[in-house]
Amino acid sequence: MDVFYSALSEFRRRKFEDCINHCTQILEKSPYDQAAWTLKMKALTAQVMVDDIEVEEEGIADSVLNETMATTARPGTSFKNPTVLQSLALGAQRPKTNTGRPVSGVVRPGTIGSRGTLEQALRTPRSASSARPATAQSGRAIRLGTASMLTQSEGPFIQLSRLNLAKYASTKAVSKPLFQYIFYHENDILRAMDLVVEAMKVCDQKDWWWRLQHGKCYYIFGMMRDAETELRAALKLLPTLEVFLWLTRIYIRLDQPVTALDLCRTALQIFKDEVTLLTDIARIFEGINNIPLSVKYYREILHQDAMNVEAVACIAVHYFYSDQPELALRFYRRLLQMGVYNAELFNNLGLCCFYAQQYDMVVSCFERALSLAENENAADVWYNISHIAIGVCDLALAEQCIRLALSIDSSHAAACNNLAVLEYLNENTSVSFSLLQAASSVAPSLFELHFNRALLTEMVGDYHTSYTVVQKSIEVHPGHTDSHRLLKNLKTFFSYL
Amino acid sequence: MSLFKVKDQWLTTCGQDETFDASSLAVADLNGKGSDQIIVGSHSGYLRVYECVAENSAEIEYTPACLLIETYLEQPILQVAAGRLTSGIKERHIAILHPYKVAVYALSIIEGTVEHGTETRLVLMYDHVLLKSTYQLIVGPFGSVRDRDFLCVQSLDGVLLFFEQETFVLNRSLPTFLLPSPICYVPQTDSFIVFNAEWTLESYSYQALGDSSDRKLNPSWRYNLGEPILDIQNLIMNMRESAIFVLGERNLFCFSEVGLMRFMKRLQFTPMCFHPYFIAEGEKLMVLVVSDTETVLVYEKTVLRWSAHLSLSPVAISRVNFKALKGLIAVLSESGELRCGVLGTEPSLFVAPPLKTKSATHQQNETKLKQLKEEIKYHASAGADLRNSSSTSTDSELKALYKCVLNSDENTCQILLELSTKSSLSDIQISYEATPPICFHAPVQKLPILCDKTMIENQVVLDYNYDIAVPSSCELLVFISYFNSSGLPKVLRQSTNVPDQFIFDSFFSANDASQKTPGVSTIGNLLSVTLNAAQSIALPILFSEFVNDRWEAAGCTDSRVDFMIRSPTGDETPLRFTVSLEEGAKYKIESNSTACLSLGARSLVERYQRHLLSKKLSRSHSGNQPLTYMSHLPVDSFLKVVDKYHGLVTRQKDLETELAELTCQSRAVQKRLLIKLKDKKIDSLRSLESLHEDTHWSILKLSREVETLQQAVKGCSSELHGFLGLLIFLLSLTPHISDEELKDFELATSSTFYNSESQNWLDVTYSALQYILQKSEKSDTFVAKPFENIEEFKQILMQAINRLSKGIAHQILEEQRGVFPILETDNEEELADETSLTAQKPFNSQATGVMKLSPVAETTQPNSLDEIFF
């Protein structure tokens, strides 16, 4: 059998190592075999290639470098300033993560970091659950380059520095795979950009694909406006899904959720019911805290793709926080049937069972959750068990659970808060104080911390501190009635003086 | 991930150690009996044809009779296909692609009397030997012929070879070709859909390909896909329309026959292979897509209709109609596993592994819980003990012997620290502290572990980097911090003094002094302190260790000793002790530096007491201090130093504010510069650059000024500290001053000489003094005014000192205030000040009253924060 045919067949069957070996054999015999050279390049690229359309975690440096963003956006037009608590009408409010984003159904890139100032980003503790890359280029992109270096014992396959890019760009058959090789395998974005520029000359700027790659390079360099123009031009050449998705990424990065939504809607007219677009819309709505619309789109996704884990999980969370644990339980059970098997799922199942009053399952669910829990999520599992303990009035157990949670993740602000309340009930007011204070420095976005602190300070008579702290609470959660009442009391008191 | 799994009905394994690829599987109804044959050819050269012979659906399973034929063709089989390929015969034949050959075989089946008696033969109809290595075989009615199929072979180097059944027609090389990729034929438009190396889909009509006169091929339509493809298949909808399905690496596309996109779907997984088909007479376009996670997904257009788990990772997928059951899914894996199955609703329930549950009885658990609870209780209380227990060391744990010995060269001192313990201690850190310019060779020493006994040495030197000439104290402190055997952190503090010889270097430049007027002081700007003594002791006895040859040479007598302080800066700081034996015993200490004075006074007192002790004479003077200070305190000169200090500190603050403003300006300029940089014009930057440079130089200049000032402040601090030390020492020698009061004063004034941005000695001392003065008011609240005015500070300081020196009067005042309506005149001023300070009190007391009156009704509530992470 022809060696080249074997290589092709292996490439198709995703046996890249064998394919590379066969190509190397051919290239040893005839070093100028362009086809074998290209195939080897493709195989090397395919080994490390990732679908880079999934949002990368935005680095801390990016948030500083983006000077084009409006600092005080109107509510609902920015991720930094989401519409305030539309979900309030539905009763319960979703808790927030340490960084101040509302809790999402799934952990995906972007749900961890908050969109705030650099100061905020630096102040949030860098624990396992909230670490963000500090540099502009994400860790994943950097890793791509280093991983590729390791795999090649006899040195790099292509000496990029010796490559006459103009010549290769004019060879249309090779230029596109070569670009991918440079972009994904070598991770040499600058050189990839050079190649794009040369190739655009050759194709007279008529190929949307090159325009998209140009935009991607700009995106990595953080030049969002340039990337936007490139992608807009690509859309004019041919409206393709990938360009729409990339353009959405750019608008999200530019903190323009409204524009991103408009774009997605336009794209939906061309690519009807496309799940990726619907997912983007749902995520954006979630990001600007418009949960009902987000859930609507997640439902739409389920109509299209009933196996979409993200949609199922997000809807389940929505039901849970709108006081319908029975419905949430059904969604989580479906996830379990689909083969999801992890601590988070069992934890959520346990919670749903508890709130749906199916007490028989609660203990076994949490037992499983604990047996599956790793260090990152064990703290959350213990924290939730403490809630069950509070629910059954076993405060001693609750306290121990919270202590366990804190021993795993000392920056678990919600656990700190609840421990403070328990300590207060044990009449250890000073301990309670210090816990609240520590927690509010870790997670300033939890209004409960501020409110509890305000209450305590008011009780001991430190009215001034109480006044300032309760204002913080209202700032975080403007609709909190108890905070308003406390503030009113304080104001009346001050006016008496 | 899927809810269900494919129910395998019919499964077999084709050969062993053979490889199969996407093109190794073909499904065709060869003899037109309504039952499909499955044709499988391996890369090793084996051809196998299967057919399910079962009559009803319940009996479908693989039996040996299902294998119609298995034969070895000697060459690797790259692809199998079927079609009406032989002229004159309407039956479908099998076309087989070898690397350099394409062959057409007829499958003849001779029915036997029993099921297993059926005989099948493979008859070669014709073959074409090719010169080029082949890649793909396309079968179709090229040129819109009826009831006939032609062959087209794509070679590895991009040449299409056409065969109209037995005859070779033409060859044509494809433009922009590099790597071969799948090609499909669309009968409606009689064209070939080709995917070229530019990742563009192109459609060439058969006519255009056949017209060899036309050198340049022009596609009838093209679409820029922008990604490599895995497979391309055509689905004929009716006579006119067809759907061209393209499986890309990330997307699934569907085009119409004229190149319009019908729909596309972005796949959220890596596809392996696919198979489009119709149900309900061409109305519903369905696609089977296999993902890399062994799942088959069934789409109707873009909507996911079903997904099921396959238990193998296939390279090819197709639909097959058996006689007994139609529409089974046939999949072929790389290693030759062939399975036909239905979707069904067989649940693919993931069974979670059972938890390791300990078979403990309820009682056992309860006892264990009890035990654990007790343990927790014990540890919790231990934690509280830990918090309350003092961290100072007890003698039993660590004993430290701290000594300072003068080296022979008299320039350095050796520190000997002997540590001994009975238990084992860990992480021992020894930090030494002394007043500058005395400093240690190694300020911090560490021991990882200590058992039994060890000796630590260190050196004391005078640091020449300090601007301070005279140390204000001879005391050397050592702090030993460690963890004891139970893991508790402890601290031990020890102190010792530097030998006087180390600091009192030599006698006052004897030659100079004697050459001028001997006996008369040549020390300018003298400060002096006179101490009254009950008994006079000659100086040579007190300073016995200094008595040597130089004693005489320096002209020291029994009543006068001159010293010179060893100074790193080279300044001459003389110190003179004189004793007058006439009217009682009076010791006079003179120097031009307060620090030196205090040092001298302390040294003298210590020596005096030691001498008395050695003579066992102290008892006779018990209750009374042997040396007392009776004259006026040098408060005025102290206040001068305070003034100086205040001036320096104020100046420093001013400079720092100025510096802050300048740096602000610099930042603004930098920001502006960055914004301007975007304009990419150099002209606009010029002026900013010079402004930036200018600011930069002023900042540098100012910083240097601040630095020098900081040194000055440090020097002044030392002076102040020294003076304060002297003052307190003298106060301690003054009779009628209670120890407690003195201690308060000492704590209030000589707290720390720590200058931070927000606080310095003046601030700290001011509020502390206010507190002392107000303490007698017996009020609970104390409001300290912040430091504002140096005059006020001095006033308060004077008050405090006055009160101290007139301690007895003060006591009377305090105790009998309510009784005596007329106060002592001395304290009038002081009292006036006190009332002014307490004027704010009513506000506070009232506030506390209200606090108690309105108990807070609300209670803290455990908020129900439930975090669901997923």
Side-chain angles (χ1 to χ4, degrees), chain A residues 342-402:
Chain A
N342 56 21
E344 287 89 346
L345 180 63
F346 279 107
N347 171 54
N348 294 352
L349 277 172
L351 273 183
C352 288
C353 284
F354 182 76
Y355 288 109
Q357 305 186 1
Q358 299 181 10
Y359 301 122
D360 49 341
M361 286 298 292
V362 176
V363 174
S364 58
C365 276
F366 277 109
E367 267 177 356
R368 265 192 199 287
L370 280 180
S371 71
L372 287 170
E374 313 257 324
N375 246 353
E376 294 93 53
N377 47 24
D380 289 321
V381 177
W382 279 117
Y383 172 71
N384 284 316
I385 296 176
S386 82
H387 271 285
I388 307 295
I390 291 171
V392 299
C393 288
D394 191 347
L395 292 189
L397 177 66
E399 193 185 324
Q400 280 156 24
C401 289
I402 295 176

Side-chain angles (χ1 to χ4, degrees), chain B residues 464-531:
Chain B
Y464 292 76
N465 290 328
Y466 282 100
D467 220 8
I468 302 155
V470 184
S472 51
S473 153
C474 285
E475 200 173 30
L476 300 177
L477 286 174
V478 65
F479 296 96
I480 308 157
S481 65
Y482 60 93
F483 288 97
N484 69 6
S485 47
S486 53
L488 296 176
K490 294 276 171 101
V491 178
L492 184 71
R493 179 180 181 274
Q494 295 271 309
S495 73
T496 185
N497 281 345
V498 192
D500 285 343
Q501 290 100 312
F502 181 59
I503 296 172
F504 300 174
D505 175 33
S506 54
F507 302 106
F508 177 54
S509 46
N511 295 335
D512 294 354
S514 55
Q515 269 166 22
K516 288 172 187 172
T517 26
V520 177
S521 139
T522 50
I523 311 163
N525 195 15
L526 259 183
L527 296 164
S528 70
V529 167
T530 315
L531 297 176

Side-chain angles (χ1 to χ4, degrees), chain B residues 43-99:
Chain B
H43 283 180
S44 314
Y46 288 92
L47 180 77
R48 297 179 183 87
V49 181
Y50 299 93
E51 185 183 4
C52 180
V53 290
E55 290 295 330
N56 64 52
S57 56
E59 289 167 17
I60 292 177
E61 60 172 337
Y62 180 76
T63 55
C66 289
L67 179 61
L68 298 183
I69 194 164
E70 178 171 17
T71 177
Y72 181 56
L73 294 179
E74 290 170 349
Q75 283 184 51
I77 298 170
L78 304 186
Q79 192 177 348
V80 287
R84 299 184 179 92
L85 292 165
T86 316
S87 50
I89 300 171
K90 291 218 165 177
E91 273 185 4
R92 286 161 179 265
H93 287 168
I94 301 168
I96 289 165
L97 185 70
H98 297 295

Side-chain angles (χ1 to χ4, degrees), chain B residues 579-848:
Chain B
V579 59
S580 64
L581 299 163
E582 292 107 39
E583 30 184 304
K586 273 190 182 168
Y587 287 91
K588 194 173 180 190
I589 307 145
E590 289 169 297
S591 174
N592 59 0
S593 147
T594 47
C596 185
L597 214 54
S598 118
L599 210 62
R602 277 173 206 273
S603 174
L604 183 72
V605 171
E606 200 196 331
R607 280 160 195 282
Y608 191 85
Q609 279 173 343
R610 216 191 303 153
H611 183 76
L612 288 188
L613 265 174
S614 65
K615 291 274 172 75
K616 305 211 170 168
L617 285 168
S618 57
R619 265 185 208 165
S620 58
H621 297 280
S622 63
N624 246 339
Q625 276 167 321
L627 281 170
T628 47
Y629 182 74
M630 295 302 272
S631 45
H632 278 288
L633 290 167
V635 177
D636 288 340
S637 27
F638 178 63
L639 287 184
K640 266 180 209 157
V641 179
V642 172
D643 263 338
K644 186 180 161 199
Y645 179 75
H646 175 247
L648 282 174
V649 168
T650 330
R651 171 89 184 117
Q652 192 184 7
K653 264 187 191 159
D654 291 347
L655 279 182
E656 272 164 8
T657 333
E658 207 177 319
L659 191 63
E661 272 166 18
L662 267 177
T663 45
C664 240
Q665 181 186 333
S666 163
R667 269 201 298 280
V669 171
Q670 277 171 359
K671 220 179 218 169
R672 190 78 205 139
L673 207 63
L674 270 177
I675 295 166
K676 283 269 168 157
L677 262 178
K678 288 211 165 158
D679 296 349
K680 288 160 189 162
K681 277 183 216 148
I682 300 171
D683 297 351
S684 56
L685 297 176
R686 287 272 156 71
S687 54
L688 273 176
E689 197 198 332
S690 55
L691 183 59
H692 185 234
E693 205 175 320
D694 203 36
T695 323
H696 178 69
W697 284 115
S698 349
I699 288 177
L700 277 187
K701 201 177 140 216
L702 206 58
S703 319
R704 261 180 229 125
E705 233 173 286
V706 169
E707 259 173 29
T708 40
L709 201 63
Q710 270 170 353
Q711 279 297 331
V713 169
K714 220 184 239 175
C716 191
S717 298
S718 169
E719 195 183 340
L720 195 61
H721 199 199
F723 214 129
L724 205 58
L726 178 67
L727 212 59
I728 289 162
F729 185 66
L730 292 181
L731 279 169
S732 73
L733 293 182
T734 315
H736 317 303
I737 290 184
S738 76
D739 285 350
E740 206 177 315
E741 294 268 327
L742 186 67
K743 206 177 166 192
D744 280 349
F745 181 74
E746 190 178 350
L747 284 174
T749 49
S750 62
S751 51
T752 42
F753 268 79
Y754 183 73
N755 287 316
S756 69
E757 268 178 46
S758 56
Q759 218 177 28
N760 56 35
W761 180 79
L762 292 172
D763 298 317
V764 178
T765 312
Y766 187 64
S767 28
L769 285 177
Q770 281 182 59
Y771 178 73
I772 289 189
L773 291 178
Q774 240 183 34
K775 207 173 64 167
S776 51
E777 289 285 306
K778 287 187 179 161
S779 61
D780 296 338
T781 51
F782 161 70
V783 181
K785 285 195 290 182
F787 173 78
E788 273 157 6
N789 192 347
I790 186 69
E791 293 307 321
E792 231 170 283
F793 177 82
K794 283 200 271 186
Q795 210 171 7
I796 280 206
L797 189 68
M798 285 299 295
Q799 273 179 31
I801 293 171
N802 280 343
R803 183 192 274 207
L804 258 182
S805 49
K806 296 179 177 110
I808 305 159
H810 172 76
Q811 271 172 12
I812 295 164
L813 170 86
E814 201 181 346
E815 282 163 12
Q816 303 181 344
R817 173 166 291 182
V819 182
F820 292 104
I822 301 162
L823 302 169
E824 283 187 45
T825 45
D826 272 1
N827 292 304
E828 223 166 12
E829 190 192 6
E830 182 187 316
L831 275 169
D833 212 87
E834 273 176 10
T835 39
S836 76
L837 273 171
T838 49
Q840 296 169 346
K841 264 177 60 189
F843 167 78
N844 272 333
S845 57
Q846 196 184 358
T848 36

